[in-house]
Amino acid sequence: ITSFLSSFVRSLPLFFLFYLLMDLLRQFVSSALKLGSIPAHVAIIMDGNRRWAKQNGCETKKGHASGFDQFYQALEWSLDLGVEMVTVYAWSIENFKRSKEEVDYLMAMAIDKVNYLLSRFDVIEKHGVCVKVLGDFTLLPVDLQKAFAKVMNATKHNNKVVLNVCFSYTSQNEISNSMKRLANAVRDKTINHLDITEHIFEESLYLHRPVDLLIRTSGEQRFSDFLLWQNSFACVVFLDVLWPDFSAWHLYWAIILYQRNYPFLLKRREDHIKHLNSKQQQIDEKYGVEVEQRESRTETYLKNLEESENSFLSELSPA
């Protein structure tokens, strides 16, 4: 034992030197990447927690806990690069089909993690992080709904970085919900059917901003019903690493691939916008749409939508 301890103590300086050199290298690579185009909006499918637990011979709960911890690291690396918005797929509606024990554990852990975020409110304020939870709240336990509402209300005035947590979410649910919102607005005569453009449809979604870079871990190559609309012109990177093992180097590699494809993606997006504007102009001329009136009705609709969402959150978590 004495020999082992002596050898271990002698190796400590080398370990710390290696750690220091790797951290310096990471900072250098991060600075170099900033010279190129950095994606404004990064979305991540955090996949592989259960497989990681199985590979490491531990309980599934440990895998999920490690995945949550890795989420905070990934957020810090993204902030360091200057990413403006990070969206993570934390819980799919499909996941409610898992065992009751696992679902109950993850709901309880989600509450704990939200409380942890609130306990580090000074750090959130320092970085100006606005936290938003996107999904169907009606499927969640009331305590978790209240916890989500509390952190959203507490950070809603921050405007440097936006963290979107997709929880109790699927893209099909999001799109159908958007259509219901628009149908109700037409029924209430807030807007008419000719006011339904791609713009107003996007603004009716949980998430309005297009994704620039989508990352999925675990080696799976599918979207799993995540941000299907918003990913239309995203650079998609599938990584063969389980989420708890995700590192800054995996993120940097994804950024490099994004930068390589950036000119092509930018042109495709610009061409799409031009095509939409031209098509919308033809429709307006054909049906004699008064553009200013449509814009006014759209503004009223979106204002009502925002007030409804704020009222819902305020009822869950009064100031």
Side-chain angles (χ1 to χ4, degrees):
I1 295 176
T2 303
S3 176
F4 169 76
L5 289 175
S6 177
S7 176
F8 175 73
V9 170
R10 286 197 302 271
S11 68
L12 283 177
L14 291 176
F15 171 78
F16 285 117
L17 178 61
F18 174 76
Y19 179 83
L20 177 61
L21 289 174
M22 289 301 293
D23 189 55
L24 288 173
L25 179 60
R26 186 190 64 78
Q27 292 180 38
F28 172 77
V29 173
S30 177
S31 298
L33 288 173
K34 292 177 187 177
L35 298 175
S37 300
I38 295 296
H41 184 186
V42 174
I44 306 174
I45 301 177
M46 307 180 295
D47 191 21
N49 292 338
R50 295 196 292 178
R51 272 172 281 174
W52 182 90
K54 186 176 181 180
Q55 285 184 10
N56 287 273
C58 54
E59 294 184 358
T60 301
K61 294 178 181 180
K62 174 63 177 175
H64 290 305
S66 297
F68 267 105
D69 292 339
Q70 198 60 34
F71 155 70
Y72 295 119
Q73 284 281 350
L75 180 59
E76 288 184 11
W77 298 326
S78 299
L79 293 178
D80 180 60
L81 284 168
V83 174
E84 298 173 3
M85 179 177 286
V86 177
T87 303
V88 295
Y89 203 2
W91 184 260
S92 167
I93 291 175
E94 295 298 313
N95 290 344
F96 283 109
K97 297 176 181 178
R98 295 180 180 179
S99 69
K100 185 178 185 303
E101 179 185 5
E102 184 177 356
V103 171
D104 290 345
Y105 169 76
L106 287 168
M107 295 299 109
M109 186 168 66
I111 294 175
D112 288 342
K113 296 302 179 181
V114 171
N115 289 332
Y116 173 75
L117 274 178
L118 290 170
S119 72
R120 299 190 64 190
F121 191 71
D122 56 332
V123 178
I124 294 175
E125 286 289 289
K126 177 184 176 181
H127 291 289
V129 180
C130 173
V131 180
K132 296 183 179 181
V133 182
L134 313 176
D136 191 341
F137 274 42
T138 62
L139 301 176
L140 299 175
V142 175
D143 288 349
L144 184 54
Q145 292 184 41
K146 291 181 177 180
F148 282 153
K150 187 175 182 180
V151 73
M152 289 172 71
N153 284 331
T155 63
K156 64 182 179 182
H157 297 299
N158 295 340
N159 55 16
K160 291 182 181 178
V161 181
V162 178
L163 169 62
N164 298 310
V165 180
C166 290
F167 206 101
S168 184
Y169 172 94
T170 62
S171 191
Q172 291 184 61
N173 174 272
E174 178 184 31
I175 291 172
S176 65
N177 181 70
S178 177
M179 295 306 299
K180 288 175 184 176
R181 287 174 167 179
L182 291 169
N184 289 337
V186 172
R187 181 198 61 196
D188 299 337
K189 298 184 179 179
T190 305
I191 59 174
N192 63 50
H193 67 284
L194 290 175
D195 295 334
I196 301 178
T197 62
E198 186 166 316
H199 167 69
I200 196 173
F201 173 78
E202 287 181 342
E203 291 295 319
S204 302
L205 295 169
Y206 297 141
L207 179 58
H208 316 145
R209 189 167 179 173
V211 173
D212 298 304
L213 170 64
L214 171 67
I215 300 171
R216 176 168 187 150
T217 60
S218 83
E220 295 290 338
Q221 298 186 11
R222 50 195 171 88
F223 287 91
S224 294
D225 209 356
F226 178 57
L227 302 180
L228 299 182
W229 183 273
Q230 296 86 344
N231 282 318
S232 297
F233 298 99
C235 174
V236 181
V237 179
F238 297 112
L239 297 173
D240 191 16
V241 59
L242 301 178
W243 175 247
D245 291 329
F246 183 80
S247 69
W249 303 106
H250 293 107
L251 176 61
Y252 295 162
W253 173 243
I255 297 291
I256 290 171
L257 293 177
Y258 168 80
Q259 292 179 344
R260 284 172 52 185
N261 289 280
Y262 176 72
F264 170 75
L265 295 170
L266 180 62
K267 186 176 186 308
R268 287 293 303 272
R269 187 172 291 179
E270 290 176 344
D271 289 346
H272 176 68
I273 292 173
K274 289 179 182 178
H275 172 72
L276 279 181
N277 290 339
S278 175
K279 186 177 180 181
Q280 188 61 52
Q281 185 177 359
Q282 293 175 16
I283 293 173
D284 291 345
E285 291 174 355
K286 180 178 180 179
Y287 294 100
V289 175
E290 295 290 341
V291 177
E292 290 185 3
Q293 292 182 16
R294 181 182 65 206
E295 290 178 348
S296 177
R297 290 190 296 269
T298 299
E299 184 179 350
T300 299
Y301 163 74
L302 295 177
K303 183 179 179 181
N304 292 345
L305 200 59
E306 182 179 7
E307 289 177 351
S308 176
E309 291 174 350
N310 289 337
S311 177
F312 175 73
L313 293 176
S314 296
E315 288 178 6
L316 284 174
S317 179

